[in-house]
């Protein structure tokens, strides 16, 4: 007999609620250097594997293929790149970075082998295309987050 079959549900009382759960976490040594570079130098940094030459953005500590340690092999990348995939976010929620509808794209910046997700603005959702070139637009004021690179827009 399953446990749920033993429970007399007439004795259960369920109440629904919502939780606000503010939180913070350490971005790590590699993630911190990446975000500080965006904030202080408006430069996108990646890490390069010395074995397979793969360049990771956002940077990571180890190569997923070779398990090589990458965090001392930084490379500076371009502020432009290409959209490799995208979606249009059509719902609103207070945890989302901008008001919907907005474009969330995977962007492979020049010199990188991996794409990373970011917002694309300055183009209507119906006009965006995979393969389109975009450029980074940095925030006028820091938020100490990935949003110091505020968004990408058509290049
Ligand atoms: Zn590698």
């Amino acid at each position: 007999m399953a446990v749920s079959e033993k429970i007399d549900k007439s004795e259960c009382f369920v109440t629904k609620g919502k939780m606000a759960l503010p939180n913070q976490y350490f971005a790590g040594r590699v993630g911190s250097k990446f975000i500080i570079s965006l904030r202080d130098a408006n430069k996108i940094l990646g890490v390069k594997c010395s074995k397979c030459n793969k360049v990771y953005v956002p940077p990571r500590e180890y190569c997923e293929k070779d398990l090589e340690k990458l965090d001392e092999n930084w490379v500076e990348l371009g502020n432009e790149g290409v959209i490799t995939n995208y979606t249009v976010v059509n719902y609103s929620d207070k945890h989302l970075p901008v008001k919907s509808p907005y474009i969330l794209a995977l962007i492979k910046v020049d010199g990188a082998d991996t794409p990373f997700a970011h917002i694309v603005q300055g183009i209507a959702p119906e006009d965006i295309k995979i393969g389109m070139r975009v450029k980074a637009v940095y925030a006028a004021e820091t938020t100490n987050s990935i949003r110091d690179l505020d968004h990408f827009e058509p290049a």
Side-chain angles (χ1 to χ4, degrees):
M1 183 186 287
V3 172
S4 61
E5 292 175 76
K6 293 180 183 173
I7 296 172
D8 176 1
K9 291 187 178 172
S10 68
E11 296 295 315
C12 294
F13 181 82
V14 176
T15 182
K16 291 185 179 178
K18 289 185 178 178
M19 276 193 283
L21 199 56
N23 67 87
Q24 60 181 16
Y25 69 94
F26 175 49
R29 287 184 311 113
V30 171
S32 294
K33 184 166 178 166
F34 176 66
I35 291 172
I36 289 168
S37 174
L38 295 177
R39 182 191 68 193
D40 295 350
N42 289 354
K43 286 181 179 167
I44 300 170
L45 296 180
V47 288
K48 184 175 186 174
C49 178
S50 59
K51 275 194 175 172
C52 70
N53 289 324
K54 189 171 184 177
V55 174
Y56 291 92
V57 178
R60 49 170 45 210
E61 198 159 352
Y62 291 91
C63 177
E64 65 187 8
K65 182 175 163 234
D66 306 302
L67 302 179
E68 279 285 298
K69 198 155 171 52
L70 306 175
D71 62 340
E72 298 300 328
N73 204 10
W74 291 90
V75 289
E76 188 182 315
L77 301 165
N79 274 319
E80 291 191 12
V82 66
I83 292 174
T84 63
N85 212 334
Y86 68 91
T87 189
V88 178
V89 178
N90 279 304
Y91 71 100
S92 294
D93 196 292
K94 64 183 179 186
H95 77 274
L96 294 176
V98 292
K99 199 173 173 208
S100 70
Y102 69 93
I103 300 163
L104 183 65
L106 288 175
I107 297 155
K108 193 161 81 170
V109 296
D110 296 342
D113 293 305
T114 59
F116 74 107
H118 217 305
I119 298 162
V120 176
Q121 294 178 340
I123 185 169
E126 59 269 21
D127 294 332
I128 194 155
K129 302 249 183 312
I130 290 173
M132 181 175 280
R133 286 198 62 78
V134 289
K135 65 182 178 187
V137 177
Y138 289 91
E141 287 185 36
T142 184
T143 56
N144 280 308
S145 74
I146 188 76
R147 291 300 307 282
D148 283 347
L149 194 179
D150 191 70
H151 63 275
F152 284 84
E153 66 181 20

